[in-house]
Amino acid sequence: METILNRAKDGLFLSKTEITFLLNLKASGDISVLFETARSLRRRFFGDKIFLYGFVYISTYCRNNCRFCFYRNSNSDSLRYRKSASEIIDAACQLAESGVHLIDLTMGEDPHFFHRGRKGFDELVELVAAVKSKTGLPVMISPGVVPDHVLEKLGLAGADWYACYQETHSRALFKRLRTGQSYGERMNKKYLAHGFGILTEEGLLCGIGESDEDVAESFAAIRELDVDQTRVMNFVPQHGTPMESALPPDPMREFMIMAVMRLLFQDRCIPASLDVDGLDGLKQRLDAGANVVTSLVPPGKGLAGVAQNSLDIEDARRTMDGVLPVLTENGLRPALQDEYTGWIRQRREIVVRQYARKDRSCCA
Ligand code: SAM
Ligand code: MD0
Ligand code: SF4
């Protein structure tokens, strides 16, 4: 193990065998060494600062039927809402005042935006511009697979990030999870976003039947995509979905994948989402090397989470007041806004230099 960790510390990308070896560590002593190595690499690139993302789920309507998702189209038990522009701006401003570094605008592939041609998407573009100007903060957009010209317009309107998670890079597993969706189209949108100078986030779902080889395959795909942020989330079984009675995965699965992710993507952002185990799950994710806390949701706005649609929201635990004490207890601190915008700027310079206007796509 020591040889493998030293190779990682030297910045070498690990082989599939080495990745699988680390993912299967069982002895608590070995796991502690792995996590300490992940934390030391986080410290090398981010010091003790943590970035904090506010989350506004603007619409829970969706035309797709992902088998794992509470908001899949055919789930009649799902919570459906679409917030108005003023409600979204109000929530975003409250998050900004609370001190978050970014606003993540997420939605299902809502026909209201997707099936009204130019009119629908222009409304989304205007929303991004309004949230950006009202909060003065960087904006992430997670709208699903939008048309190429819309992605470009979202970037020009002020979207700094495009988050579109593949969940897995096993095409067979993808086909089972994201029924009726194109693997290639979803991957290519991330390449395209970089072509427009928009930072990208890739995401893995774990505990959904993926093998260690699948995870190693994903790491290779993430490396090829050269994303600026990469995450892993444990699958949370959802009421009214085909995977409702699936067993929840061992929480350690996410933490192990996250720690190895830090070894491989040392200078990139890796989130600890509050949307899986809530605030109580934050420490383990920081211990595994995360440097971003995501899914802070303001109470009293009727806003939902994705994997945890209500956990810790109305009791105001997915807030700065909830998160800051956990950071302090772990020798960490919220970054200054300038430190985050500075990090985004240096990443974008690299992305524009390497990818602007370059036609990169991976697959049909
Ligand atoms: N609808 C857009 C899309 O699918 O790209 C954006 C939002 S989507 C709701 C965000 C992500 O939440 C999914 O890509 C998936 O990784 C995660 N997610 C959804 N349901 C989940 C579940 N039951 N457990 C864990 N993560 C889940
Ligand atoms: C999160 N609930 O950060 C949010 C969501 C989508 N860009 C993010 C999954 O966990
Ligand atoms: Fe829709 Fe996204 Fe949920 Fe899939 S994951 S059903 S695209 S909201």
Side-chain angles (χ1 to χ4, degrees):
M1 181 170 91
E2 200 178 333
T3 315
I4 298 174
L5 296 182
N6 287 337
R7 278 171 40 76
K9 287 179 198 169
D10 295 342
L12 300 170
F13 201 83
L14 302 178
S15 69
K16 286 192 178 154
T17 314
E18 292 170 322
I19 289 168
T20 305
F21 173 83
L22 293 177
L23 290 176
N24 284 288
L25 292 174
K26 295 287 182 280
S28 59
D30 292 345
I31 293 173
S32 305
V33 173
L34 170 65
F35 283 18
E36 177 41 45
T37 307
R39 291 194 296 276
S40 71
L41 290 167
R42 177 187 61 202
R43 249 184 328 272
R44 186 190 293 178
F45 291 94
F46 296 98
D48 60 352
K49 61 178 180 291
I50 298 291
F51 303 143
L52 295 133
Y53 293 3
F55 179 69
V56 183
Y57 203 174
I58 66 175
S59 170
T60 63
Y61 290 94
C62 188
R63 63 182 182 171
N64 292 328
N65 251 326
C66 302
R67 293 170 61 82
F68 53 84
C69 183
F70 182 57
Y71 304 99
R72 68 196 305 266
N73 182 274
S74 55
N75 184 5
S76 51
D77 296 337
S78 184
L79 184 77
R80 303 290 179 191
Y81 69 68
R82 182 182 308 112
K83 296 297 179 185
S84 66
S86 60
E87 288 172 313
I88 295 164
I89 292 164
D90 173 49
C93 289
Q94 184 173 330
L95 282 164
E97 275 149 35
S98 77
V100 301
H101 301 112
L102 168 139
I103 303 294
D104 176 348
L105 300 176
T106 287
M107 56 182 239
E109 293 192 4
D110 182 349
H112 173 82
F113 296 103
F114 275 72
H115 294 173
R116 290 191 305 139
R118 197 190 171 95
K119 205 155 166 281
F121 289 118
D122 283 354
E123 192 181 320
L124 192 58
V125 170
E126 285 152 24
L127 196 57
V128 167
V131 167
K132 182 104 184 200
S133 69
K134 296 281 185 198
T135 63
L137 291 180
V139 170
M140 172 181 275
I141 185 88
S142 321
V145 175
V146 293
D148 297 2
H149 72 278
V150 172
L151 189 55
E152 185 170 21
K153 283 174 96 174
L154 288 166
L156 296 171
D160 302 274
W161 289 88
Y162 175 63
C164 185
Y165 313 146
Q166 208 71 13
E167 324 298 357
T168 176
H169 297 82
S170 147
R171 284 173 178 266
L173 189 51
F174 178 91
K175 205 161 175 217
R176 284 207 301 278
L177 292 173
R178 282 188 166 269
T179 35
Q181 296 167 53
S182 156
Y183 179 95
E185 187 185 22
R186 201 168 174 84
M187 281 296 279
N188 290 340
K189 289 296 171 190
K190 285 167 272 209
Y191 284 111
L192 190 69
H194 262 178
F196 294 140
I198 303 171
L199 303 187
T200 54
E201 181 186 22
E202 178 61 298
L204 305 184
L205 201 50
C206 65
I208 33 107
E210 81 291 344
S211 66
D212 294 339
E213 286 68 33
D214 292 335
V215 174
E217 196 65 44
S218 283
F219 288 152
I222 293 168
R223 188 185 188 197
E224 170 58 27
L225 276 165
D226 199 19
V227 292
D228 312 283
Q229 179 164 305
T230 172
R231 68 161 64 205
V232 54
M233 289 168 78
N234 249 355
F235 162 62
V236 179
Q238 302 291 329
H239 183 64
T241 70
M243 297 174 74
E244 175 173 11
S245 50
L247 277 182
D250 175 347
M252 276 304 287
R253 179 65 171 167
E254 179 186 324
F255 312 149
M256 297 296 283
I257 294 174
M258 190 181 286
V260 178
M261 213 176 232
R262 177 54 72 198
L263 268 55
L264 299 174
F265 306 101
Q266 302 178 3
D267 64 347
R268 306 303 155 95
C269 282
I270 298 179
S273 169
L274 299 175
D275 198 28
V276 179
D277 299 318
L279 185 63
D280 293 345
L282 178 54
K283 177 173 172 34
Q284 290 118 318
R285 291 166 171 84
L286 294 170
D287 286 349
N291 74 303
V292 184
V293 180
T294 68
S295 213
L296 282 84
V297 182
K301 303 288 180 193
L303 288 167
V306 180
Q308 292 286 358
N309 59 66
S310 60
L311 178 65
D312 286 351
I313 295 179
E314 293 316 319
D315 48 7
R317 298 182 83 230
R318 285 164 76 164
T319 60
M320 294 295 276
D321 291 347
V323 168
L324 293 185
V326 181
L327 298 189
T328 311
E329 283 153 21
N330 290 280
L332 301 166
R333 65 171 176 88
L336 304 173
Q337 187 61 43
D338 290 354
E339 290 175 315
Y340 183 59
T341 40
W343 188 87
I344 286 183
R345 195 176 315 113
Q346 57 92 21
R347 270 309 304 164
R348 181 174 292 127
E349 280 160 14
I350 295 168
V351 166
V352 168
R353 200 170 47 244
Q354 286 180 349
Y355 302 123
R357 302 285 164 228
K358 281 211 189 74
D359 176 16
R360 290 179 75 222
S361 59
C362 77
C363 26

